[in-house]
Amino acid sequence: MDIWFHPSKEIDLLLRDVAASLGFDPSFDPQVRPADPRFGDFQANGVLPYAKGRSENPRNAANLLLGAINSSPKFDASLIETSVAGPGFINFKLTDKFLLAWLGKYKGESELKEASSAFYNGRKVIIDYPSPNTAKQMHVGHLRPMVIGEAVKRLLKFCGADIKCDNHIGDWGTNFGILIHGIKTGGYVLDENNENSLEDLERMYKAGSKLAKESRADADAARAELVKLQNGDPENVALWNKINSVSSAAFDRMYKTMGLTIDMTFGESYYRDKVDRIYRELEETGIARKDQGALVVFIDEHERFKTQPFIIRKSDGASNYASTDLATLLYRVENFAAEEIIYVTDGRQQDHFQQLFLTAQKWFGAKGYKLPKLRHVWFGTILGPDGKAIKTKSGEPIRLKSLIDESVARAREIVEQKSPETPAQEADKIARTVGVAALRYADLVQNRTSDYVFSWDKLLAFEGNTAPYLLYAVARMHSIFRKSGFDADADADIDVAAQSGRFETERERTLARKLVALPALFELTLSELRPHYLCIYLYELAGIFSAFYNADKVIVDDAATRARRLMLCARTFRVMETGLRLLGIEPLEKM
């Protein structure tokens, strides 16, 4: 029997295999779940409902399955102990031999990544984030799609997905008429190197919008500039390109700060010449129809959407989000062979994406196109102390750059308080890492579909489930290795010696079990695309390691004990570092 990377999954497959050989119905579900540690690591609960549904004795059925398992060449009783409990539960307990062998086999990030690649096995995935609108500054609301999208992308890539991030920016719309009119009349010069360009453009747009409401002449002038842009006027197209170029330069600076890995950027404007096909095919298949001058889709089998239209083309003939999103979906399938597409947006767009997915399902089905798996990873709102969306005192959205700068400054103060002897350059690096990581982790640790209240005290705390706590835990492990002279990567002899023994304490065994639970954690996180599961796992792992290290001395005279405990330290260290990087956080060697 091989040392399984994902024991609960393999136990499930083995149970299904032996059940089929015994003549069980193909509908049999073993229902393998984590068990009470007193009885084992996993428990199969599916025998009870299966047997009762057929008026059979569940305990007899469980014993029959267990006998077949123990006779299987795929199973080794020296690695996993089994028993039947109660009315028919089957318990599985990983032995010390299995746990130590697992730690020896999956010893580093490369081994974990190779084994985890089986989850997606090269599946082609497009993930759509952070997708800001050009000519606007990023605000606190952009934090969530950036950090959630990046964490999801990194996890899927680690687990074998052939994944690309498409930054579907909003670079087309009526606002450009006002902006171009303002640039021309105000003589404003766009400069990519000017870090205040987006602030200037926002101010210009607000002033222009106010003028357009107050003055018919200004409104007509802005509308005329928009029409010229839409008709391809060279001067206006050049200004539009410059606005987007300035925006992209500002965005890129923010992406670098936040460690985003953008693979391609196809804005809404890219699909302007691709929407006519969408209109034609939806009408030809009878999915869309004209209603009050607009082209719309009603989903008759949906309670709300049978009367709530999905507007594909507006009554004035203009395209909108629905038409460009459908064109984008088709483009990703035809040009990137996407098998799965993930959209990361706030929860207010749930209706839009439900209608988009249902429309795509009908359309692709009618045309015989292969529909990819479509997933909407939506998130809640960041709240202020008053329970409302967080804003400045003047009621404006908090700029993301200002938020990051303040977080770094606060982290710098903490570094000075805790380690005043730290050289300035090193303190700046620590503060930068901790400040950005604290913002990122405070968001990721939340269940993404929940709103949460922003708190400086909580996110920068060195106690509790925070980035500073986890970064400090990893830095402490670095310190342990430095003091012991142990190389977590190079000491192969330690691994060999460690695997030949048994655990002496329950703390050792508990830590090993937590490490072996990593694949199940990946499976859970992938199933729901909720990074907070990984955050909780890392926090629990750090706590279990701390309890082990504080109670079980690592550097002892007995060679086997020292080797085993050093291996536990090394594996915990690697999993912690790997987990933090999957969340977009780069660990520190010193704090």
Side-chain angles (χ1 to χ4, degrees):
M1 171 182 162
D2 193 16
I3 300 301
W4 295 330
F5 175 63
H6 190 349
S8 63
K9 182 70 173 177
E10 297 297 337
I11 289 170
D12 178 273
L13 293 173
L14 181 59
L15 279 165
R16 291 177 188 274
D17 186 38
V18 298
S21 70
L22 293 170
F24 277 51
D25 189 90
S27 64
F28 171 66
D29 179 5
Q31 297 181 21
V32 178
R33 304 285 187 270
D36 184 322
R38 293 175 299 171
F39 307 119
D41 293 281
F42 308 103
Q43 187 175 80
N45 301 330
V47 178
L48 271 73
Y50 178 83
K52 287 182 177 179
R54 290 158 179 76
S55 300
E56 298 175 5
N57 185 313
R59 190 172 177 88
N60 289 345
N63 280 314
L64 190 65
L65 282 169
L66 198 55
I69 287 172
N70 286 316
S71 300
S72 171
K74 299 177 182 178
F75 188 78
D76 184 343
S78 71
L79 295 173
I80 302 178
E81 296 174 356
T82 58
S83 63
V84 174
F89 302 117
I90 305 177
N91 290 324
F92 298 85
K93 183 177 182 180
L94 306 178
T95 65
D96 288 0
K97 181 179 178 182
F98 181 97
L99 293 170
L100 287 165
W102 193 97
L103 295 173
K105 183 174 182 179
Y106 305 107
K107 60 184 180 179
E109 185 171 324
S110 60
E111 290 84 1
L112 291 171
K113 185 176 182 179
E114 182 180 359
S116 299
S117 66
F119 282 113
Y120 262 72
N121 198 28
R123 182 178 175 86
K124 292 184 181 296
V125 181
I126 299 290
I127 183 167
D128 185 327
Y129 78 98
S131 308
N133 292 321
T134 58
K136 293 182 179 179
Q137 296 181 82
M138 283 190 169
H139 55 75
V140 65
H142 290 101
L143 178 67
R144 302 214 75 182
M146 291 173 74
V147 301
I148 293 171
E150 185 66 22
V152 169
K153 182 195 172 186
R154 290 183 182 217
L155 179 62
L156 264 66
K157 186 174 183 179
F158 190 86
C159 291
D162 179 2
I163 187 168
K164 288 182 170 59
C165 166
D166 183 3
N167 186 19
H168 189 61
I169 58 173
D171 62 349
W172 193 253
T174 56
N175 60 313
F176 285 98
I178 293 173
L179 285 170
I180 291 172
H181 176 57
I183 290 170
K184 286 183 176 181
T185 56
Y188 183 75
V189 178
L190 292 162
D191 181 4
E192 293 179 11
N193 297 316
N194 178 6
E195 293 193 6
N196 297 318
S197 288
L198 289 187
E199 186 177 347
D200 294 342
L201 285 171
E202 267 194 9
R203 189 162 47 245
M204 190 184 306
Y205 177 72
K206 288 178 181 178
S209 296
K210 186 172 183 293
L211 278 175
K213 290 177 182 177
E214 297 172 350
S215 165
R216 172 67 66 88
D218 280 294
D220 290 343
R223 195 174 299 111
E225 297 293 359
L226 177 63
V227 171
K228 287 168 67 177
L229 172 64
Q230 292 171 337
N231 291 334
D233 175 76
E235 182 184 12
N236 282 17
V237 169
L239 283 172
W240 172 75
N241 280 324
K242 191 67 175 177
I243 291 170
N244 288 326
S245 178
V246 165
S247 300
S248 293
F251 293 161
D252 287 344
R253 288 191 288 269
M254 184 58 67
Y255 300 156
K256 183 178 180 181
T257 296
M258 296 302 296
L260 266 62
T261 52
I262 306 295
D263 298 298
M264 53 192 177
T265 300
F266 291 102
E268 292 169 13
S269 63
Y270 185 78
Y271 299 96
R272 283 178 294 149
D273 62 351
K274 297 173 176 59
V275 294
D276 286 342
R277 176 182 171 186
I278 311 304
Y279 305 148
R280 184 177 66 254
E281 292 191 2
L282 288 176
E283 283 195 277
E284 288 174 352
T285 54
I287 295 168
R289 67 173 188 261
K290 291 187 175 69
D291 186 89
Q292 299 181 36
L295 187 64
V296 303
V297 174
F298 290 101
I299 308 297
D300 294 333
E301 59 273 24
H302 192 281
E303 184 62 32
R304 279 188 299 113
F305 300 151
K306 65 183 179 183
T307 57
Q308 180 179 318
F310 190 46
I311 301 174
I312 306 299
R313 184 179 62 211
K314 295 189 283 188
S315 57
D316 62 2
S319 61
N320 61 4
Y321 288 131
S323 44
T324 55
D325 277 353
L326 286 167
T328 303
L329 195 163
L330 183 63
Y331 184 84
R332 288 166 173 169
V333 171
E334 292 186 339
N335 291 271
F336 298 105
E339 298 171 85
E340 183 173 333
I341 303 174
I342 300 167
Y343 301 83
V344 184
T345 76
D346 70 64
R348 292 171 296 179
Q349 298 188 47
Q350 288 181 77
D351 273 9
H352 170 79
F353 282 101
Q354 285 184 50
Q355 289 175 296
L356 177 73
F357 295 173
L358 290 168
T359 300
Q361 184 178 348
K362 287 177 173 289
W363 171 34
F364 275 50
K367 297 296 293 184
Y369 302 151
K370 187 176 181 180
L371 183 70
K373 183 177 182 179
L374 303 173
R375 306 176 77 176
H376 183 205
V377 175
W378 63 273
F379 50 83
T381 304
I382 304 176
L383 307 176
D386 59 357
K388 298 178 181 178
I390 189 169
K391 295 182 183 296
T392 63
K393 290 181 180 179
S394 62
E396 295 291 318
I398 296 175
R399 303 304 173 198
L400 185 54
K401 184 179 183 303
S402 299
L403 192 73
I404 293 171
D405 289 345
E406 182 171 355
S407 187
V408 172
R410 286 172 178 260
R412 186 68 166 82
E413 290 178 5
I414 294 172
V415 172
E416 289 177 0
Q417 291 169 7
K418 290 183 175 291
S419 304
E421 73 286 352
T422 304
Q425 189 173 358
E426 185 179 343
D428 288 342
K429 178 185 175 182
I430 293 171
R432 190 77 187 166
T433 300
V434 172
V436 175
L439 284 174
R440 182 189 296 273
Y441 192 85
D443 194 282
L444 291 174
V445 76
Q446 311 295 330
N447 186 336
R448 61 172 170 78
T449 52
S450 300
D451 299 339
Y452 73 92
V453 177
F454 185 89
S455 167
W456 283 117
D457 291 339
K458 287 183 179 179
L459 70 90
L460 285 168
F462 275 74
E463 300 82 28
N465 194 359
T466 67
Y469 171 79
L470 294 181
L471 285 168
Y472 179 75
V474 173
R476 184 187 181 198
M477 293 175 195
H478 273 288
S479 176
I480 292 168
F481 297 147
R482 282 195 300 271
K483 290 176 181 178
S484 66
F486 176 67
D487 186 334
D489 294 314
D491 285 330
D493 291 342
I494 291 289
D495 286 356
V496 174
Q499 293 175 58
S500 62
R502 294 174 59 85
F503 294 118
E504 288 183 22
T505 72
E506 195 56 37
R507 288 175 294 274
E508 290 179 321
R509 191 171 289 108
T510 299
L511 180 56
R513 282 175 171 163
K514 191 65 176 179
L515 291 166
V516 174
L518 181 66
L521 175 278
F522 281 163
E523 184 175 46
L524 174 62
T525 308
L526 291 170
S527 69
E528 300 183 27
L529 299 183
R530 295 180 188 269
H532 79 280
Y533 290 133
L534 177 55
C535 297
I536 293 169
Y537 172 86
L538 293 176
Y539 176 62
E540 291 176 348
L541 177 61
I544 292 169
F545 175 80
S546 182
F548 151 75
Y549 187 76
N550 290 335
D552 295 343
K553 189 176 180 181
V554 174
I555 307 303
V556 295
D557 292 335
D558 182 73
T561 301
R562 182 172 65 251
R564 185 177 63 254
R565 291 178 180 174
L566 279 171
M567 184 173 75
L568 282 168
C569 290
R571 299 303 179 267
T572 304
F573 168 69
R574 281 294 167 231
V575 169
M576 289 293 297
E577 281 210 326
T578 298
L580 286 174
R581 289 193 178 108
L582 290 177
L583 295 173
I585 296 171
E586 188 59 33
L588 291 165
E589 290 189 16
K590 294 181 180 180
M591 280 185 70

